[in-house]
Amino acid sequence: MTCLVPKLSLCQELDSSQYDALVWVGPDYKKCSSDVIISAVSPMVAVDAGVLTGGCVVPVPLPCARLVYSPTGPLDRDYDDLRRFAEAAGKGVKRAIMAGSKHPLVMVQGTMPGRGEKECELAGLLGALAAVYVPLEMREVGEKEASKVEGLGWAGGKEVMEEALAIEKGRVVARDIGGSDPERMAAPRVEEYVQEVFKGTKVKVEVMKGQDFFEREYPCLAAVNRCASTVPRHDGRLIWLTYQGEGVVEKTLYLVGKGITYDTGGADIKAGGVMAGMSRDKCGAAAAAGLMKTISELQPAGVKVVVALCMVRNSVGANCYVADEIITSRAGVRIRVGNTDAEGRMAMVDVLCRAKELALSDPDPQLMTVATLTGHACLAVGDYSIIMDNGPARAAGTAIKVQEAGEKIGDMFEISTVRREDWDFVSDKSGEFVSVLQCNNAPSSRTPRGHQMPGAFMMAVSGLDKHMVSSKQPLKYSHLDIAGSAGDLPDPTTGAPVPALTKWLLG
């Protein structure tokens, strides 16, 4: 596995000879701190006003020889946010590479209402780093294909650079796992990758496997893995990652990630050409692993983070689970399978139950599930992440705090609410056989409240319904649906919501 991120160097001097392009990002070039940049851009604006919105590449009397001007556009409208800086920086770096640059220097200047200079710089640098990401499969082809640039310079603050580098290392892990094809990141190979990524860090890696073991301890996950378990290279893994910072632990996070390495839909097969892209159904677990990579880089004190990667393949065949099966969950809840294409909640729910058991003895625990769970999420909010709280989490303001953290770094969240209709939806109506219906047999995109209802399922089947606000031991739980924000083929995955969760956890 090649280097996770390109060499990033700090340079405050624009006359350095290390670089072959200067990428300047900001809302107004006339407010740039360098007269050289103003003098280079002004003649272009005089003959083409479109430069103010579209940018340009011009010669500049500096050792780098070329200047890429990449404007953010207006920043003072109600709907502007930090993504303006990230997008402009990413666009500028890509333009520099197109112009022949192998070692660009990035400079971000300017602010926007309600946001400080460091926040704008951080968003911009993260956008620049995202632009030079090379997918894992290409990095493994050969040295020539392994990088887009030889290095990247940063003409900003050191603290911003170090934070961006830690976050980007996490996003690379998330993109590598989430975006790689279903064979390269089949469950056993995710295990290999994760072991390599966390070797020599303070993160403990524990791997659980074997269909017999899963059937005893995690029966809902075992149902999904049943068919794939007969093919060794597809057999599932449950990977636990644990970090405990120095000092007394004051805050604990349990994060369970959906890692469906490929989703055929199972017996309720995805027909009509909608199966393509289902290698991205592991982006929840990928994001969880990515967050842990960032945590291992920053090494915060007083924090305990436990991540569970539920890596299974929803295969179709003679041994696959089918609708109408009755399964008893780890928490002792009897469920009837309604749709095998609702496998993500099955893969996570018993692992969430185990996390709940562990969290009861930890200080200030917050449980989360993160998943590319529903098409309904994409219809409801587009390319945004969604977070929804249970009662104790809502009382603590978890969703609001995560959303605010995302706003501070350009990694956005929308807030949804799990309501009584969602609990009623998953309740078995017959009064016979089972307590919970796993899912209806229609796509979530054609089901009212299709992304909220799985939150009720997760709570009911994991036993978290015994830990509501009124209980003796309330537990905070939030469900994150990142189906819209994770990224679709043919583009790389985004690494969302690693930046927002990092800001929230350490904020």
Side-chain angles (χ1 to χ4, degrees):
M1 184 172 61
T2 54
C3 183
L4 289 178
V5 296
K7 181 181 178 182
L8 185 60
S9 55
L10 186 67
C11 179
Q12 303 289 351
E13 305 300 328
L14 299 186
D15 57 359
S16 171
S17 60
Q18 293 184 65
Y19 308 100
D20 56 10
L22 171 62
V23 179
W24 188 88
V25 178
D28 185 356
Y29 78 95
K30 289 179 288 186
K31 295 182 180 179
C32 174
S33 60
S34 169
D35 291 337
V36 174
I37 293 174
I38 296 172
S39 299
V41 176
S42 292
M44 297 296 295
V45 175
V47 297
D48 180 10
V51 167
L52 293 172
T53 54
C56 62
V57 181
V58 295
V60 65
L62 292 170
C64 64
R66 59 168 75 91
L67 167 68
V68 179
Y69 167 53
S70 190
T72 61
L75 297 171
D76 58 355
R77 299 164 296 192
D78 287 355
Y79 53 85
D80 290 315
D81 57 59
L82 286 171
R83 290 174 297 173
R84 298 290 185 195
F85 283 96
E87 291 161 359
K91 181 180 177 182
V93 168
K94 289 178 180 179
R95 185 66 185 86
I97 294 170
M98 189 183 302
S101 174
K102 289 294 183 181
H103 206 154
L105 175 66
V106 178
M107 186 177 191
V108 176
Q109 293 188 315
T111 59
M112 62 186 301
R115 298 295 169 214
E117 182 179 339
K118 287 185 178 180
E119 290 174 324
C120 298
E121 284 191 355
L122 180 58
L125 183 50
L126 286 172
L129 288 167
V132 297
Y133 170 74
V134 177
L136 176 64
E137 288 100 334
M138 292 304 297
R139 302 203 308 271
E140 292 177 337
V141 167
E143 187 175 346
K144 181 180 178 182
E145 295 83 0
S147 63
K148 294 177 180 177
V149 293
E150 294 172 2
L152 196 65
W154 172 240
K158 182 180 179 182
E159 183 181 333
V160 168
M161 185 182 79
E162 290 173 346
E163 184 176 358
L165 193 58
I167 291 172
E168 179 61 13
K169 286 181 179 179
R171 291 199 302 183
V172 168
V173 168
R175 295 189 201 109
D176 283 357
I177 295 175
S180 294
D181 79 61
E183 290 296 328
R184 177 59 187 88
M185 280 298 170
R189 300 198 68 187
V190 173
E191 175 190 352
E192 295 170 3
Y193 178 92
V194 167
Q195 294 279 16
E196 179 67 22
V197 162
F198 292 105
K199 184 188 300 181
T201 71
K202 293 185 176 181
V203 174
K204 175 187 173 184
V205 180
E206 183 182 6
V207 180
M208 297 177 174
K209 58 186 177 180
Q211 185 64 9
D212 289 344
F213 168 78
F214 288 149
E215 288 177 355
R216 286 196 312 273
E217 299 294 328
Y218 304 97
C220 294
L221 182 148
V224 181
N225 187 58
R226 187 195 303 160
C227 188
S229 69
T230 62
V231 181
R233 75 177 193 278
H234 293 162
D235 194 13
R237 298 290 190 273
L238 174 56
I239 304 171
W240 292 91
L241 309 173
T242 304
Y243 167 87
Q244 185 162 323
E246 298 292 334
V248 177
V249 173
E250 298 177 350
K251 186 176 184 178
T252 309
L253 171 65
Y254 283 87
L255 181 60
V256 177
K258 172 187 173 184
I260 302 300
T261 60
Y262 198 74
D263 183 15
T264 67
D268 290 301
I269 197 162
K270 292 181 182 289
V274 298
M275 198 184 298
M278 285 298 106
S279 59
R280 298 287 175 92
D281 216 11
K282 55 191 182 309
C283 283
L291 176 66
M292 187 61 96
K293 176 62 179 175
T294 294
I295 295 301
S296 75
E297 293 289 322
L298 296 173
Q299 298 186 27
V303 173
K304 178 181 177 181
V305 181
V306 181
V307 160
L309 313 180
C310 309
M311 309 305 305
V312 292
R313 178 173 171 128
N314 191 20
S315 293
V316 62
N319 204 34
C320 67
Y321 84 123
V322 297
D324 296 349
E325 285 191 36
I326 294 175
I327 299 169
T328 302
S329 76
R330 180 185 179 91
V333 179
R334 288 172 60 81
I335 67 170
R336 184 187 299 279
V337 176
N339 188 336
T340 64
D341 199 18
E343 83 298 329
R345 65 202 72 175
M346 296 286 285
M348 293 188 294
V349 73
D350 285 333
V351 183
L352 176 62
C353 177
R354 177 56 180 155
K356 172 205 71 180
E357 295 163 5
L358 296 169
L360 288 169
S361 59
D362 281 314
D364 191 21
Q366 166 76 54
L367 296 107
M368 288 182 170
T369 46
V370 57
T372 50
L373 205 65
T374 65
H376 190 274
C378 303
L379 290 177
V381 302
D383 296 337
Y384 291 83
S385 299
I386 297 174
I387 182 168
M388 56 200 88
D389 289 342
N390 74 345
R394 187 162 55 251
T398 298
I400 292 173
K401 291 174 183 176
V402 169
Q403 186 183 56
E404 290 174 347
E407 295 283 345
K408 293 178 181 179
I409 201 168
D411 185 17
M412 307 313 195
F413 269 87
E414 301 289 9
I415 298 175
S416 286
T417 304
V418 181
R419 299 197 181 275
R420 62 184 186 181
E421 289 85 356
D422 306 310
W423 287 86
D424 184 62
F425 189 97
V426 301
S427 176
D428 180 70
K429 306 303 186 294
S430 70
E432 307 285 348
F433 302 111
V434 300
S435 302
V436 172
L437 177 65
Q438 171 240 24
C439 190
N440 60 348
N441 57 9
S444 70
S445 56
R446 296 206 300 270
T447 301
R449 305 188 59 79
H451 74 268
Q452 294 100 325
M453 169 265 293
F457 172 89
M458 299 298 295
M459 288 183 267
V461 179
S462 67
L464 277 169
D465 59 342
K466 307 297 189 297
H467 297 278
M468 295 184 177
V469 171
S470 59
S471 71
K472 290 183 179 180
Q473 266 191 297
L475 282 175
K476 293 176 288 184
Y477 166 66
S478 305
H479 171 58
L480 284 60
D481 195 329
I482 62 168
S485 62
D488 295 322
L489 285 169
D491 298 316
T493 49
T494 64
V498 171
L501 290 181
T502 300
K503 278 288 187 186
W504 163 75
L505 183 62
L506 305 184

